[in-house]
Amino acid sequence: ANALGREKDYAGAARWTEIALRFDSGLKPASVMLGTYYYLNNQRDEAIAEYRKMTQLDPGEAEYWLRLAWIYGQDQPAVALKTIDEAISRIPDGRQLYIDGFRYAAHAGLVEVAKGYIQRWLDRHPDDNEMRGAFSQADSLIRADYGAPAGTR
């Protein structure tokens, strides 16, 4: 399946991944990739359904939530943020969830919401100097990377 994916045969990759999962539904890398193959094969609804299913079966696995939010983040930032918030409620120490929440909110021009994701992480992990540095640079990061003026929304 991975070889087909590298060749951009996403339909074939999805088909072989589905077969592999029929033999062993516990293959986490395969279950993570299946939704991605669907999405890359222009099967957005199937990708969303797959990741929704996996978040129900394994709600503590951040990767499913992150990929689901990424799909929504393409054109539905509010749904992406809702997905991130739901994931954080289930995986409060999932650092990447807060980072992605920052990114989606910043991209939507929700500067204070974006900064709030970093602050929430720092409230839980005050010794995370990398995130503390990101927080101190948040306004300039948002301006440079997302074009949103600091202090908006």
Side-chain angles (χ1 to χ4, degrees):
N2 286 337
L4 292 170
R6 283 190 299 274
E7 295 172 12
K8 299 189 186 321
D9 179 359
Y10 303 122
R15 187 172 50 258
W16 281 105
T17 303
E18 290 167 346
I19 291 168
L21 288 169
R22 275 190 226 127
F23 285 103
D24 184 354
S25 62
L27 293 172
K28 196 166 281 193
S31 65
V32 167
M33 288 306 300
L34 182 56
T36 300
Y37 291 142
Y38 285 151
Y39 182 80
L40 293 172
N41 196 46
N42 297 313
Q43 295 174 276
R44 184 178 192 272
D45 292 342
E46 290 84 348
I48 289 170
E50 181 64 23
Y51 287 132
R52 276 277 166 219
K53 176 182 84 176
M54 295 312 298
T55 61
Q56 297 302 308
L57 293 173
D58 190 358
E61 176 53 59
E63 193 63 33
Y64 300 127
W65 294 100
L66 290 165
R67 289 179 185 239
L68 180 60
W70 179 81
I71 292 169
Y72 287 131
Q74 304 303 304
D75 59 0
Q76 295 177 294
V79 180
L81 289 170
K82 183 178 177 185
T83 302
I84 290 292
D85 288 341
E86 186 177 349
I88 287 172
S89 75
R90 296 168 188 265
I91 314 164
D93 291 319
R95 188 176 192 259
Q96 189 63 43
L97 295 167
Y98 296 84
I99 293 168
D100 282 12
F102 171 85
R103 288 180 36 239
Y104 297 130
H107 185 71
L110 303 171
V111 174
E112 294 307 313
V113 172
K115 291 165 47 176
Y117 280 101
I118 298 176
Q119 185 60 60
R120 284 173 31 202
W121 175 261
L122 289 172
D123 290 346
R124 295 183 63 81
H125 301 276
D127 296 331
D128 187 334
N129 291 326
E130 183 181 12
M131 286 288 263
R132 188 161 302 290
F135 186 75
S136 69
Q137 300 288 322
D139 285 327
S140 60
L141 286 170
I142 291 168
R143 268 194 311 275
D145 293 347
Y146 303 99
T152 59
R153 288 194 268 170

